[in-house]
Amino acid sequence: MEAADILRNLFVIAVFPAGLFVLVNGLLYQWADRKVIARLQNRVGPRWFQPFADSLKLLAKEEVVPEGTDPRLFMGLPIVALAGALTAALYLPIAGLAPAYSFPGDLIVTVYMLSLLTLCTGLAGAGTRSRFALVGATRTLTQLFSYEAPFLLAMLGPAVAAGTWQIAEVMDYAGSNLLILVQPVGFVIALIGLMGKLEMPPFDAPEAETEIVAGALTEYSGRGLALFQLGRSVELVCGLTLVAAFYLGGIHNPLDYAIKTVGLLLGLAFLQSLLARLRIDQTVGLWWRYGSLLVLAQWAVMMVTRS
Amino acid sequence: MSDNEHGGSKFTVPIGPQHPALKEPGHFEFGVDGEVVTSATVRLGYAHRGIEKAVETRNWTQNMYLLERICGICSHIHAMAYCLGVEALAEVEVPPRAQAIRVLVAELERIHSHLLWLGVAAHEAGFDTLFMYSWRDRETVMDMLEGLTGNRVNYSANLLGGVKFDLTAELAAEIKRGLAFLEERTQHYLDVVTSDELFLRRTRGVGTMTNEQAELLGVVGPTARASGVNRDIRVIAPYSAYKVFPVTPVVEYAGDLEARFVVRLKELFESYRLCRAVVDNLPPGDITTRFPRRIKAGEVVSRVEAPRGELFYFIRSSGGENPDRVKVRTPTLANMASVISLAVGHQLADIPMLLAGIDPCFSCNDRAVTISGDDDWTWERLRQLGIARYGRPAW
């Protein structure tokens, strides 16, 4: 009994869903994203194993800790970031199977676990003395504060409609109600908020290479960079799963999962290749002037129609 | 950076000499307050190659090879400016067919340069799709240039007294086919840069330079024409075959980045028209003429309109086989001051766009600088300084 429990927990953390599976899944999705954008931009794009090769190479490389930084913080932050993203995967219906763990209110925990990556990126940038990293960190955190509230509200929309803050129960409700039709604004905000979270164009001002090199992660190399990138891949999977589960009528089986998340990924790739980068002040303006107001308007409608 | 600079306004963001936004080395320091630029300085000269001095040690013909390598993008126009100057000095009349072919290559080069710029500027704005598409289409004009001259970059089309390559009938047909394709694509790009909502947020009303500022800063080329300064050397002082094939200048009045996009894209249409006119009405006759080995003493100023603006050559001969002095002023030098004065008050994110807006070409404009102190730096003084620093040489 005891041993079986420990084994199950180890399996859940190391292999499925929060370990190897979600890492491989994330890297494959990252490849698909890069490939589709490349084809849309008339480029050839990477081969399927490129993200794996990149990660392995980076993991094997020496990690250079720049002068003037706290080495523990510098090395610890990428680990926390990846751990946060992987923890989020525990509460999500990855691959269309039931979440590994579930408790009332796990939605809030998951959404905040997903923010941990951005927070760690910002702290990592602020912890170094590189000026590009500092400007990048400021932008990362500014962006976090602009999309986070609308994104959270968009994620809570289905939860409020379902009357529960437990992901599995919201999904049950979403399975019988196609929420993209009822809450279209929430869906759009959630998807675009995901782009902001993942710093995809047009929200890539925090890492705009023509201005601030690599933004907050400028000083990172080797393992730290690899862990941050893996964290982002995992977050891509988690975010897509969450949006698909809530807005696209739930996720019932692995095939359903693949179709819905890849479909959303394609949508993201199209948007990324269509749009030019926004300045950070424009990003903030966009989210607070339009994003927040729209999602609040939808909440108002929801409240009125519910009562 | 020390700690007291952390929170204050003395936060400096260095761009360059090595930076992803710069395709060539240059150094900029932007003082920022948050995201807003409060001060800007520029330091150039990292790519100084001593070409002007080297020119003095080579003969008139060898210099063509050297001067064409001043710029990797507008190589033809440098050789053309030099040829026009030297031919004026030698009082040689170039056959009309050669002049027309020079203009044809110059306009094809302008097309390739402007399309390249469109891609670079789009990339600076984070619009990589436009970047990739415009560079794909640019291959069309690169192929035309390769078909005409055998080279994609340093075409080496000029000779003193003519050109090396003639235009065949098949090539003329191919060029016209390519131009038709490019015209259609350029119309599309013009639509994109004037209607894409997100892209306009990065260009409309950004980096506005008024007509007065443009005159004051002495900017040239498309940068000036975007601010309503109607100055195009092809129009105000036609040279070579531009006397036969007149140019309609493209002028915009807004002065912002969008206007700089529009001016360059509309200039492309003018170039397409000119290329067609030249191909259709190519004068018959020779493409070269005899040219003397020595050139009698004298000096000449040669001005041409490079893709980036006015290119200025001063050439002096002392009657020998080599030039006595060749001074080159490239348009980037004239435009650089505008970046520094426009940067203040803008967002840091706008800086790469502002810089790309003048279409800078650093290694073209890097020159040796005479440092003026309390007294002149003589050879003897420099020698003494060297001895004081490194010790007396063994010899």
Side-chain angles (χ1 to χ4, degrees):
Chain A
M1 179 70 189
E2 278 277 296
D5 235 22
I6 291 170
L7 271 181
R8 180 195 174 254
N9 284 345
L10 274 180
F11 181 78
V12 158
I13 290 171
V15 185
F16 183 90
L20 209 56
F21 178 82
V22 80
L23 286 174
V24 171
N25 191 346
L27 289 174
L28 278 177
Y29 276 19
Q30 195 194 3
W31 167 77
D33 183 53
R34 283 171 62 181
K35 185 78 178 176
V36 171
I37 292 176
R39 294 311 298 155
L40 287 173
Q41 290 182 345
N42 206 59
R43 291 184 285 123
V44 176
R47 290 165 294 178
W48 69 269
F49 55 85
Q50 194 64 52
F52 296 90
D54 287 349
S55 305
L56 284 179
K57 189 190 84 170
L58 281 176
L59 282 171
K61 283 205 164 191
E62 180 192 2
E63 190 173 17
V64 180
V65 182
E67 256 178 55
T69 46
D70 184 344
R72 282 163 301 174
L73 200 63
F74 191 81
M75 308 241 242
L77 281 170
I79 298 173
V80 176
L82 179 59
L86 288 173
T87 310
L90 288 174
Y91 302 102
L92 289 170
I94 301 287
L97 305 177
Y101 298 108
S102 190
F103 63 88
D106 56 3
L107 174 59
I108 302 294
V109 173
T110 307
V111 168
Y112 277 97
M113 281 296 162
L114 288 178
S115 299
L116 210 54
L117 174 73
T118 318
L119 199 63
C120 285
T121 311
L123 286 177
T128 64
R129 297 205 301 184
S130 160
R131 281 165 276 194
F132 301 121
L134 280 174
V135 176
T138 318
R139 288 188 185 179
T140 300
L141 295 176
T142 312
Q143 185 153 306
L144 176 73
F145 287 117
S146 61
Y147 68 73
E148 194 63 25
F151 180 73
L152 184 62
L153 286 177
M155 279 297 145
L156 291 185
V160 167
T164 169
W165 281 11
Q166 191 163 0
I167 291 177
E169 287 179 19
V170 178
M171 217 173 59
D172 283 344
Y173 174 80
S176 48
N177 301 277
L178 200 55
L179 282 173
I180 185 174
L181 300 177
V182 190
Q183 303 183 7
V185 176
F187 171 70
V188 171
I189 300 282
L191 202 59
I192 296 177
L194 191 59
M195 295 179 83
K197 247 185 191 329
L198 296 165
E199 296 182 356
M200 289 174 169
F203 303 113
D204 56 343
E207 50 173 74
E209 85 262 23
T210 49
E211 298 152 30
I212 48 171
V213 192
L217 300 184
T218 302
E219 292 295 328
Y220 272 88
S221 58
R223 199 184 61 208
L225 186 61
L227 292 181
F228 269 122
Q229 286 183 353
L230 285 173
R232 192 173 291 183
S233 300
V234 172
E235 185 147 329
L236 175 66
V237 173
C238 294
L240 290 175
T241 310
L242 200 56
V243 176
F246 278 18
Y247 282 102
L248 297 183
I251 294 175
H252 305 291
N253 53 52
L255 185 66
D256 198 25
Y257 167 80
I259 291 172
K260 280 173 182 166
T261 50
V262 171
L264 282 178
L265 187 64
L266 280 179
L268 288 187
F270 279 122
L271 284 176
Q272 284 178 69
S273 55
L274 265 178
L275 303 172
R277 184 189 301 136
L278 283 166
R279 274 196 329 239
I280 190 70
D281 58 317
Q282 292 169 341
T283 306
V284 176
L286 191 75
W287 279 111
W288 285 109
R289 257 181 240 145
Y290 303 103
S292 307
L293 287 184
L294 280 174
V295 81
L296 282 176
Q298 183 181 280
W299 271 67
V301 172
M302 260 163 55
M303 292 304 161
V304 169
T305 49
R306 257 169 75 89
S307 54
Chain B
M1 186 189 57
S2 60
D3 281 337
N4 58 353
E5 287 171 332
H6 237 285
S9 59
K10 264 187 77 185
F11 194 75
T12 315
V13 175
I15 294 195
Q18 272 79 41
H19 188 280
L22 301 173
K23 276 50 181 171
E24 292 174 85
H27 181 70
F28 299 84
E29 280 195 354
F30 296 103
V32 292
D33 183 8
E35 284 274 330
V36 181
V37 175
T38 52
S39 69
T41 57
V42 60
R43 200 193 138 190
L44 301 171
Y46 291 92
H48 173 59
R49 293 167 292 171
I51 286 185
E52 282 181 10
K53 190 69 189 167
V55 161
E56 291 165 20
T57 64
R58 283 158 176 80
N59 70 33
W60 294 102
T61 311
Q62 287 170 328
N63 282 334
M64 302 257 310
Y65 183 88
L66 194 57
L67 291 169
E68 197 168 46
R69 275 151 185 80
I70 285 183
C71 183
I73 300 170
C74 43
S75 55
H76 172 81
I77 202 77
H78 277 271
M80 186 169 168
Y82 172 75
C83 283
L84 291 173
V86 175
E87 282 153 8
L89 263 184
E91 290 169 0
V92 168
E93 192 66 38
V94 177
R97 190 175 176 90
Q99 290 187 359
I101 290 175
R102 273 183 189 170
V103 162
L104 175 66
V105 178
E107 290 306 317
L108 288 176
E109 182 179 74
R110 191 181 315 278
I111 296 167
H112 121 67
S113 174
H114 280 5
L115 284 174
L116 178 132
W117 172 83
L118 176 66
V120 171
H123 174 64
E124 304 288 1
F127 198 3
D128 279 359
T129 309
L130 182 56
F131 166 40
M132 296 296 164
Y133 273 59
S134 60
W135 278 38
R136 177 195 68 188
D137 296 338
R138 174 173 161 267
E139 285 301 310
T140 314
V141 68
M142 301 300 275
D143 288 345
M144 288 185 216
L145 284 164
E146 192 184 354
L148 188 59
T149 67
N151 287 311
R152 280 163 57 90
V153 179
N154 293 114
Y155 325 111
S156 190
N158 284 292
L159 281 174
L160 289 173
V163 289
K164 282 183 199 160
F165 309 102
D166 205 352
L167 186 70
T168 60
E170 307 94 78
L171 208 55
E174 196 182 308
I175 286 179
K176 282 168 83 173
R177 252 199 320 277
L179 289 175
F181 169 73
L182 284 174
E183 194 153 37
E184 189 193 319
R185 295 302 303 169
T186 308
Q187 185 59 51
H188 175 63
Y189 296 139
L190 189 60
D191 291 345
V192 168
V193 301
T194 53
S195 65
D196 186 282
E197 204 52 53
L198 282 193
F199 196 61
L200 281 179
R201 279 169 178 254
R202 302 296 308 275
T203 58
R204 187 168 283 177
V206 174
T208 308
M209 178 161 50
T210 61
N211 193 296
E212 292 78 45
Q213 276 177 307
E215 292 280 8
L216 193 69
L217 293 165
V219 294
V220 295
T223 315
R225 291 196 285 279
S227 293
V229 180
N230 190 352
R231 202 172 292 147
D232 185 330
I233 306 298
R234 295 175 295 168
V235 179
I236 58 174
Y239 50 92
S240 196
Y242 287 114
K243 291 167 196 153
V244 190
F245 302 101
V247 177
T248 322
V250 178
V251 184
E252 289 284 320
Y253 295 92
D256 56 1
L257 276 171
E258 189 198 0
R260 281 168 225 166
F261 273 89
V262 171
V263 159
R264 286 194 174 90
L265 285 170
K266 284 190 175 165
E267 272 187 23
L268 282 175
F269 291 112
E270 185 60 18
S271 290
Y272 300 146
R273 190 191 62 73
L274 264 174
C275 284
R276 279 205 197 94
V278 172
V279 168
D280 286 340
N281 306 302
L282 202 59
D286 289 337
I287 56 167
T288 49
T289 182
R290 283 192 66 79
F291 201 80
R293 192 180 162 89
R294 290 167 193 278
I295 291 170
K296 63 180 182 333
E299 51 185 48
V300 71
V301 163
S302 169
R303 294 195 301 161
V304 294
E305 184 76 12
R308 288 160 181 71
E310 178 187 343
L311 176 66
F312 175 100
Y313 266 66
F314 167 79
I315 304 164
R316 188 170 67 209
S317 168
S318 55
E321 286 183 20
N322 300 352
D324 189 40
R325 174 85 173 100
V326 174
K327 160 74 193 161
V328 182
R329 196 199 69 169
T330 57
T332 304
L333 193 65
N335 285 339
M336 196 52 86
S338 73
V339 177
I340 294 307
S341 58
L342 289 179
V344 175
H346 275 92
Q347 299 267 330
L348 184 62
D350 291 328
I351 300 300
M353 290 285 283
L354 279 178
L355 190 55
I358 67 161
D359 200 356
C361 184
F362 291 94
S363 54
C364 311
N365 86 63
D366 284 351
R367 298 281 172 275
V369 180
T370 312
I371 299 164
S372 53
D374 39 356
D375 55 332
D376 286 340
W377 285 88
T378 58
W379 177 248
E380 189 49 38
R381 206 179 144 201
L382 278 172
R383 188 165 172 272
Q384 290 305 327
L385 197 74
I387 290 169
R389 177 148 185 175
Y390 299 109
R392 184 165 282 279
W395 40 270

